[in-house]
Amino acid sequence: MLDYTTLKIIWWVLVGVLLVGFAIMDGHDMGVGTLLPFVGKGDVERRVVINTVGPHWDGNQVWFITGGGAIFAAWPLVYATAFSGFYWAMLAVLWALFFRPVGFDYRSKIDHPTWRNVWDWGLFIGGFVPPLIFGVAFGNLFQGVPFHFDNNLVPYYEGSFWALLNPFALLCGVVSSAMITAHGAIYLMHRTEGDIQARAGRALQGSVLVALLGFTAAGIWLAKGIDGYTITSAVQSGALPDPLAKTVACEAGAWLANYQRWPLTLLLPLLAYAGLIGAVLLARVGRTFAGFWASALGLTGVIGTAGMSLFPFIMPSSSHLASSLTVWDSVSSQLTLGLMLGATVIFMPIIILYTRWAYRVMGGKVTAAYVRENSHSAY
């Protein structure tokens, strides 16, 4: 079995991979939902938009479920603390997600404009709200979350839902929402044609602009206006988990320290810019499939930048610094991490191969003629 320190690093990387996979695969479904009321003019066009993701959106939920399961199994203290502290925020995500399965399945059951319009906006909520809240959550991590542990390692959250909606966190929410919308837009450009494709192209340019401006502003804000966290005691990377066995301090510029320590990590923010700008440029010359994967690289860069800036912290505490949760002291046992790694090595390739097969089968253009000819089977 691999040593404990190596397993902790591997699972930090794997959780990041699952979050990126969720953003890429389920993210373009959510981006399409966000754009649905705006790029689809009339019932037929909106059915075209829905049919680009309708057949496989639920399969992409595997990334979301697996990511949540991985956090529960690999970082149990993070799972317990985050889901209690962000309880109402997580409920808002759950309530928004309710609109997706019902909206996809029931929107076309009744041929009435009011009925269908209500579900169109329901799908918008299901696509727009989750990325926004996930971005807000990340923004709060950079500022620290008000929680502490008692001597029995029982977490106590001391904040409120409304405190989560602070300016920096909302900026991060805008970045998250904009990049997911851009990803959905380039996907729509690849799967549609005509007016819908043209509107998606304009949405792509606007959302990429918002995402990159917000990403830049957040980086400057972190560097100049938000103190980061750093471990000031000796790091026992191979020790058994004990969040209270360290000392932590807040220091100006600490969130940028990793980029000075490991200069190659600067490639992550550069990837964010290159990927999202590349998606726009490739879309302009009609290479929408390549643009989709350029957008995916951009998402990887944004999420990777956030993760590398926080490392080794996962959930810093603003009210009791020593309670901050890190890669080293919030994990499961060595045996659990090893068994989970074995299962991941077996099942992750299966998930990736299935996803590749599904998109090869359902990767053609969706047209108005298709929707009209398949009015009973199409979404």
Side-chain angles (χ1 to χ4, degrees), residues 215-226:
F215 183 64
T216 303
I220 295 172
W221 200 335
L222 274 182
K224 304 295 184 181
I226 296 178

Side-chain angles (χ1 to χ4, degrees), residues 310-372:
L310 283 167
F311 183 85
F313 290 91
I314 301 172
M315 192 172 180
S317 170
S318 59
S319 59
H320 186 249
L321 300 184
S323 293
S324 299
L325 296 173
T326 73
V327 171
W328 315 122
D329 56 27
S330 59
V331 298
S332 294
S333 68
Q334 184 175 3
L335 177 60
T336 299
L337 296 182
L339 291 174
M340 288 171 55
L341 180 60
T344 301
V345 169
I346 295 172
F347 290 106
M348 183 65 77
I350 296 174
I351 294 173
I352 293 173
L353 287 173
Y354 167 76
T355 302
R356 182 174 181 272
W357 171 82
Y359 277 81
R360 286 188 65 183
V361 172
M362 298 176 286
K365 296 283 186 180
V366 178
T367 65
Y370 168 81
V371 169
R372 293 189 184 99

Side-chain angles (χ1 to χ4, degrees), residues 126 198 215 241 266 286 306 342 378-379:
F215 183 64
L266 287 169
Y379 285 85

Side-chain angles (χ1 to χ4, degrees), residues 19-31:
L19 291 177
V20 169
F22 166 63
I24 294 172
M25 303 311 299
D26 206 18
H28 74 262
D29 296 341
M30 291 184 177

Side-chain angles (χ1 to χ4, degrees), residues 116-158:
R116 293 187 174 185
N117 191 56
V118 167
W119 287 117
D120 289 341
W121 285 102
L123 289 171
F124 165 80
I125 293 171
F128 176 76
V129 171
L132 178 69
I133 291 180
F134 291 145
V136 168
F138 262 97
N140 279 281
L141 293 181
F142 282 108
Q143 299 171 94
V145 180
F147 73 92
H148 71 276
F149 290 102
D150 64 15
N151 291 330
N152 295 317
L153 293 184
V154 176
Y156 292 89
Y157 181 70
E158 300 162 5

Side-chain angles (χ1 to χ4, degrees), residues 19-25 27-28 175-176 178-184 268 271-273 275-276 292-305:
L19 291 177
V20 169
F22 166 63
I24 294 172
M25 303 311 299
H28 74 262
V175 174
S176 175
M179 72 180 190
I180 292 299
T181 302
H183 198 50
L268 289 168
L271 183 64
Y273 288 101
L276 292 175
F292 176 83
W293 290 110
S295 174
L297 290 176
L299 268 62
T300 303
V302 173
I303 296 171
T305 299

Side-chain angles (χ1 to χ4, degrees), residues 11-355:
W11 272 102
W12 177 76
V13 173
L14 285 177
V15 170
V17 169
L18 289 170
L19 291 177
V20 169
F22 166 63
I24 294 172
M25 303 311 299
D26 206 18
H28 74 262
D29 296 341
M30 291 184 177
V32 169
T34 301
L35 291 170
L36 172 62
F38 309 105
V39 300
K41 305 298 182 181
D43 183 62
V44 172
E45 288 191 354
R46 290 186 178 183
R47 292 192 70 195
V48 169
V49 172
I50 292 171
N51 273 272
T52 62
V53 295
H56 55 70
W57 75 271
D58 48 353
N60 289 333
Q61 291 289 104
V62 170
W63 292 95
F64 180 54
I65 296 168
T66 305
I71 293 174
F72 170 76
W75 299 338
L77 285 176
V78 174
Y79 184 91
T81 306
F83 276 72
S84 59
F86 297 155
Y87 182 76
W88 288 108
M90 292 299 102
L91 274 183
V93 171
L94 185 62
W95 290 333
L97 290 175
F98 286 162
F99 286 102
R100 300 182 75 200
V102 183
F104 281 119
D105 286 342
Y106 285 93
R107 179 196 181 275
S108 295
K109 298 296 184 184
I110 298 177
D111 187 7
H112 191 281
T114 302
W115 171 269
R116 293 187 174 185
N117 191 56
V118 167
W119 287 117
D120 289 341
W121 285 102
L123 289 171
F124 165 80
I125 293 171
F128 176 76
V129 171
L132 178 69
I133 291 180
F134 291 145
V136 168
F138 262 97
N140 279 281
L141 293 181
F142 282 108
Q143 299 171 94
V145 180
F147 73 92
H148 71 276
F149 290 102
D150 64 15
N151 291 330
N152 295 317
L153 293 184
V154 176
Y156 292 89
Y157 181 70
E158 300 162 5
S160 67
F161 171 78
W162 299 111
L164 299 175
L165 304 178
N166 56 78
F168 179 77
L170 290 173
L171 174 62
C172 293
V174 169
V175 174
S176 175
S177 179
M179 72 180 190
I180 292 299
T181 302
H183 198 50
I186 187 65
Y187 178 78
L188 272 180
M189 290 189 71
H190 182 62
R191 295 295 309 280
T192 62
E193 56 187 23
D195 291 339
I196 299 175
Q197 187 182 63
R199 295 185 197 113
R202 291 191 290 272
L204 171 66
Q205 296 179 36
S207 52
V208 164
L209 179 63
V210 171
L212 292 182
L213 288 176
F215 183 64
T216 303
I220 295 172
W221 200 335
L222 274 182
K224 304 295 184 181
I226 296 178
D227 291 343
Y229 289 68
T230 183
I231 300 175
T232 55
S233 58
V235 176
Q236 303 294 330
S237 61
L240 293 175
D242 184 2
L244 300 178
K246 65 181 181 300
T247 57
V248 176
C250 270
E251 296 179 1
W255 289 138
L256 304 181
N258 286 335
Y259 300 104
Q260 298 174 349
R261 190 176 297 117
W262 303 300
L264 281 178
T265 56
L266 287 169
L267 293 174
L268 289 168
L270 291 177
L271 183 64
Y273 288 101
L276 292 175
I277 294 172
V280 174
L281 296 178
L282 288 165
R284 285 183 177 179
V285 297
R287 300 186 61 185
T288 52
F289 183 72
F292 176 83
W293 290 110
S295 174
L297 290 176
L299 268 62
T300 303
V302 173
I303 296 171
T305 299
M308 183 52 62
S309 299
L310 283 167
F311 183 85
F313 290 91
I314 301 172
M315 192 172 180
S317 170
S318 59
S319 59
H320 186 249
L321 300 184
S323 293
S324 299
L325 296 173
T326 73
V327 171
W328 315 122
D329 56 27
S330 59
V331 298
S332 294
S333 68
Q334 184 175 3
L335 177 60
T336 299
L337 296 182
L339 291 174
M340 288 171 55
L341 180 60
T344 301
V345 169
I346 295 172
F347 290 106
M348 183 65 77
I350 296 174
I351 294 173
I352 293 173
L353 287 173
Y354 167 76
T355 302

